[in-house]
Each structure stands twice: as C-alpha cells, then as structure tokens.
Amino acid sequence: GVIYRIDPATNIYSDVYNFIDSVGSSAGINPEGTLIQLSDGKLYGMTIQGGADSAGVIFSFNPSDSAYIELHSFIHATGIRPGYGGLLKATDGKLYGMTGAGGPDSVGVIFSYDVSTNIYSDIHNFDTTHGAFPNCSLIQATNGLLYGMTEEGGPDNIGVLFSFDITTNTFTDLFNFD
C-alpha cells in the first residue's frame, strides 16, 4: 500500500509513502481504513500487518517532511488487525478505533490512543454475547457517545449495534441484528 496525494488543480497523482519499503522491518504494512489529519498537521492511520507481532500498527505520517512514525504495535492480548475501520478523534482529544480480532476472547476490542502521551488503552473487549469482529469505524454523536457495529455476535450471531460512553467506559447493546 501507499499514502498518495492528488493535486486537485492539476490532477497529478503522487505516491508520498510506500509501505512496501518497510517489508522485513517491524514497521506497518498493508494499510486499510481511512486516514485522519489532526491539528498538528500529521496524518494518522492503521495497518493490518507489520509491527512487533505482525498484527498491525497505528502510525503517523507528516506530509511536510514525509516522516513516518510507528506509534503503537498491536498485540493479541489487547487487540490485533484493525481492519477496515479508521481512527476517530473524539471530543476528549483521544483517538478511538476497533480491532477486528484479538483481546481476551479473540474477537476484537475498542481502544483509545492518546497522541499527547503515546498511551494505547484497550477499553472494551468484545465477546460473542455482545458483539464480535467489528470491521468499521466508530462515530461520535452530539451526545458524546461512540457508536459502532459488529459483524458477528449477539443472540443470533449476526452482529450488534452498540454505544460506548468514553467518560464511564460503559458499553451498551442497542440492537441485535437478526
């Protein structure tokens, strides 16, 4: 995969970072999901492979100097393979996302990452009862809650719609798909 830029005035496409250059190293490879740009000007994203456990990384990329930095290496105990979703910057200033696997039940987690302190926290572990294998991005509504879905889990094992309160770390099943 690559990070690329398109100049809308000229329609010129340019690769600005090539993940294949990191094959064989502990850096992330195979980016998926979306990038988010924070007020520091850097782009933040995730890969599904690479890192210390070959289970993906959270990274930053600075467009002004092309500096790529691995911020967090996913490990099985606290979530691996973030998959299709992207990162969300919530109102508390932290980045939030989900992994498609890993955690105690091996079916994914909700995590936070504090850019200012470089601290990753596994804040909710999915289980088959209350959702499993999330593969989308979280959103934050005006009520401050995060909302998302899982691909499996719930009573019929075909996914749940949920909310998560970042101030109390409270997970709530809202709807079980059937």
Side-chain angles (χ1 to χ4, degrees):
V2 299
I3 297 173
Y4 62 89
R5 169 185 4 236
I6 296 177
D7 182 336
T10 62
N11 291 328
I12 294 176
Y13 169 98
S14 306
D15 288 346
V16 294
Y17 182 78
N18 190 337
F19 287 89
I20 195 72
D21 293 339
S22 29
V23 171
S25 74
S26 66
I29 57 174
N30 295 330
E32 289 198 17
T34 58
L35 295 172
I36 182 173
Q37 188 170 32
L38 299 185
S39 60
D40 62 6
K42 295 177 185 174
L43 302 173
Y44 292 82
M46 298 181 289
T47 69
I48 62 165
Q49 291 181 304
D53 245 6
S54 295
V57 302
I58 298 172
F59 67 87
S60 70
F61 178 79
N62 190 337
S64 66
D65 63 7
S66 298
Y68 171 93
I69 299 172
E70 179 188 316
L71 302 172
H72 172 75
S73 187
F74 290 103
I75 61 171
H76 192 273
T78 58
I80 61 173
R81 304 198 189 287
Y84 306 104
L87 295 166
L88 162 77
K89 182 182 177 194
T91 53
D92 65 0
K94 294 179 184 176
L95 299 178
Y96 288 85
M98 297 186 289
T99 68
D105 292 312
S106 299
V107 294
V109 306
I110 300 172
F111 66 85
S112 68
Y113 181 79
D114 190 326
V115 175
S116 64
T117 62
N118 295 320
I119 295 176
Y120 173 92
S121 300
D122 169 5
I123 57 175
H124 176 76
N125 298 303
F126 288 102
D127 57 37
T128 54
T129 303
H130 302 286
F133 307 114
N135 66 359
C136 62
S137 297
L138 294 165
I139 63 165
Q140 186 173 34
T142 56
N143 64 5
L145 298 178
L146 303 183
Y147 291 89
M149 298 182 298
T150 66
E151 185 176 320
E152 294 181 24
D156 292 318
N157 200 34
I158 53 176
V160 301
L161 175 66
F162 65 85
S163 68
F164 186 82
D165 188 329
I166 60 176
T167 60
T168 62
N169 284 350
T170 303
F171 178 91
T172 305
D173 282 341
L174 299 174
F175 180 78
N176 295 303
F177 293 103
D178 60 19

